[in-house]
Amino acid sequence: MATATLNGAVIGDEAAFHAACQAELGFPSGYSATIDAWVDCLSYLRDDDNMTRFKLKPNEVLEIVITDAKKMPADLLEEVSFCVGGINERYEDYGEKPALKLTLR
């Protein structure tokens, strides 16, 4: 399983979250640092669009691990969890297996 790890202790706001995600997930240089752009980038994990540094196989899952998750703003963490569910639903709508697993530590 592919894994990306984010340090929740240093993610104090949305800007820090997007900067950490861009660095760890390899989002393109033109990444607009919005939750909509985050969802879009993670919706192409099995395509050749190079929206992340990951290229998943058909049944592979990307685990996003957030360490010290309790130190992140609760509303941001809730939004990320909600979006992961929505992204997985998008994959299922296209007849694919869910591509993301969110692990909070």
Side-chain angles (χ1 to χ4, degrees):
M1 177 181 324
T3 304
T5 303
L6 303 172
N7 182 353
V10 298
I11 299 175
D13 59 20
E14 194 169 335
F17 170 76
H18 289 292
C21 287
Q22 187 170 17
E24 179 64 17
L25 295 165
F27 293 160
S29 60
Y31 175 66
S32 64
T34 65
I35 201 68
D36 289 336
W38 190 84
V39 168
D40 288 344
C41 286
L42 292 174
S43 295
Y44 295 96
L45 290 166
R46 295 191 180 116
D47 298 334
D48 292 324
D49 291 350
N50 297 319
M51 299 298 283
T52 74
R53 68 179 177 93
F54 296 95
K55 171 73 165 77
L56 301 182
K57 295 178 176 101
N59 293 320
E60 192 176 10
V61 172
L62 171 61
E63 180 179 22
I64 299 175
V65 177
I66 302 178
T67 60
D68 290 319
K70 291 182 180 182
K71 294 181 180 178
M72 278 180 62
D75 58 334
L76 179 57
L77 196 54
E78 183 178 325
E79 184 173 29
V80 169
S81 296
F82 177 80
C83 288
V84 166
I87 292 166
N88 282 334
E89 285 179 18
R90 184 180 281 185
Y91 280 101
E92 289 174 338
D93 288 346
Y94 288 106
E96 297 181 38
K97 293 191 174 197
L100 294 173
K101 176 184 178 188
L102 182 62
T103 301
L104 307 178
R105 294 192 176 140

